[in-house]
Amino acid sequence: MMQWNNWTRNSDFILLGFFDHSSLHTFFFSLILAIFFMALIGNSVMVILIYLDAQLHTPMYILLSQLSLMDLMLISTTVPQMAFNFLSGNKSISMAGCGVQIFFYVSLLGAECFLLAAMAYDRYVAICYPLRYPILMSRKICSLMAAFSWIFGSLDGIIDVAAVLSFSYCGTREIPHFFCDIPALLTISCSDTLIFEKIIFFCCVIMLIFPVVIVIASYICVILAVIKMASAESRQKAFATCSSHIMVVGIYYGAAMFIYMQPSSSRSPNQDKIVSAFYTILTPLLNPLIYSLRNKEVARAFMKVSRMDKAAG
């Protein structure tokens, strides 16, 4: 039993995290916790509104509900563990816990990459082929796009977890991050990870570059189509429907490429932590704000559901 306990303790990782217990760091921790709860509420509201309002049962909003669900799960993968470690003073995480974090984190990142590409294609069809939109973006096609986003993301998560947990880790097993991120784990591995790093780069080309190409191609076609529109009002409406998505894509893909396509020799642990915090904590908060504040249909659905609640009360 003693040998088992020793092995268990030695197999745990130590998450060095962001914060100590100074007044300034306590303030920043409280701020992140506030952002976490706001993101939970914002994304939950988006999912519930789209589910309850029949007028939002269109491909654009179905895909948006999936994005909100992914953001909800993504921020829940990292922040609760970070909060537990900070409040309890226990910075350890088990090998299994680390594997679970990696799986959900990588799977959700990959799924969002493909989903954002599907959302760009949806806007391309809506603006460039409005009369054929019900056929090219039917409910079945939309559901398949969402399903394949989840499937491809999960496959990437399974491959990465299997590889990372097969490596040997030695020394203090201290991860210079606030969650089990793959680049941070590779820095403390005793194994030769060069081949795996090349595989990660190849996966990033598929999971990041390929969707980015789809997004760029879609919006080049959209811009060309909008320029040809005779009515200034039509051009403004078309750009308004795409601007929110372009903002989200720029934030998300830019940060993800910075983390996963940067050579390991030029990495800075503090820099990686800040960028990771940006797109795993801040982006899930920004997405519902960007889409809801700039979208009249979401605001209308919110008012409708609010009136229904008051009437029921």
Side-chain angles (χ1 to χ4, degrees), residues 137-152:
M137 277 301 293
S138 64
R139 181 72 67 86
K140 182 179 180 180
I141 292 174
C142 176
S143 300
L144 285 173
M145 284 182 169
F148 278 119
S149 296
W150 285 99
I151 291 169
F152 288 145

Side-chain angles (χ1 to χ4, degrees), residues 67 70 74 102-118 145-146 148-157 160 203-204 206-208 211 252-253 256 260 279:
L67 180 65
M70 290 175 185
L74 181 62
I102 292 172
F103 171 74
F104 280 106
Y105 177 75
V106 172
S107 298
L108 291 165
L109 286 184
E112 283 204 26
C113 286
F114 286 110
L115 189 71
L116 289 172
M145 284 182 169
F148 278 119
S149 296
W150 285 99
I151 291 169
F152 288 145
S154 298
L155 287 174
D156 189 36
D160 286 346
C203 287
C204 285
I206 297 174
M207 306 293 287
L208 290 173
Y252 186 83
Y253 283 121
Y260 289 100
Y279 74 90

Side-chain angles (χ1 to χ4, degrees), residues 29-92:
F29 169 76
S30 302
L31 183 62
I32 286 178
L33 215 55
I35 291 172
F36 169 70
F37 285 114
M38 289 170 64
L40 283 184
I41 294 169
N43 285 291
S44 297
V45 167
M46 289 294 290
V47 172
I48 293 169
L49 282 180
I50 293 169
Y51 175 77
L52 292 178
D53 193 327
Q55 289 182 259
L56 298 182
H57 293 177
T58 62
M60 173 183 171
Y61 290 104
I62 290 172
L63 294 175
L64 179 55
S65 70
Q66 294 301 298
L67 180 65
S68 291
L69 181 60
M70 290 175 185
D71 280 337
L72 194 63
M73 294 174 66
L74 181 62
I75 197 169
S76 299
T77 300
T78 57
V79 175
Q81 180 70 49
M82 181 187 70
F84 173 79
N85 289 352
F86 179 82
L87 295 172
S88 68
N90 179 13
K91 295 185 176 183
S92 67

Side-chain angles (χ1 to χ4, degrees), residues 107-184:
S107 298
L108 291 165
L109 286 184
E112 283 204 26
C113 286
F114 286 110
L115 189 71
L116 289 172
M119 293 172 74
Y121 173 77
D122 171 73
R123 291 301 84 203
Y124 158 71
V125 174
I127 293 171
C128 297
Y129 300 98
L131 297 180
R132 298 178 62 192
Y133 182 79
I135 299 172
L136 295 176
M137 277 301 293
S138 64
R139 181 72 67 86
K140 182 179 180 180
I141 292 174
C142 176
S143 300
L144 285 173
M145 284 182 169
F148 278 119
S149 296
W150 285 99
I151 291 169
F152 288 145
S154 298
L155 287 174
D156 189 36
I158 291 170
I159 293 169
D160 286 346
V161 168
V164 170
L165 296 188
S166 69
F167 295 145
S168 298
Y169 297 94
C170 47
T172 58
R173 301 170 72 92
E174 293 181 343
I175 301 174
H177 217 302
F178 63 94
F179 66 96
C180 287
D181 193 16
I182 292 175

Side-chain angles (χ1 to χ4, degrees), residues 256-272:
M257 286 180 181
F258 179 86
I259 290 291
Y260 289 100
M261 302 197 74
Q262 187 182 15
S264 57
S265 58
S266 59
R267 290 186 180 280
S268 164
N270 289 333
Q271 199 175 51
D272 282 0

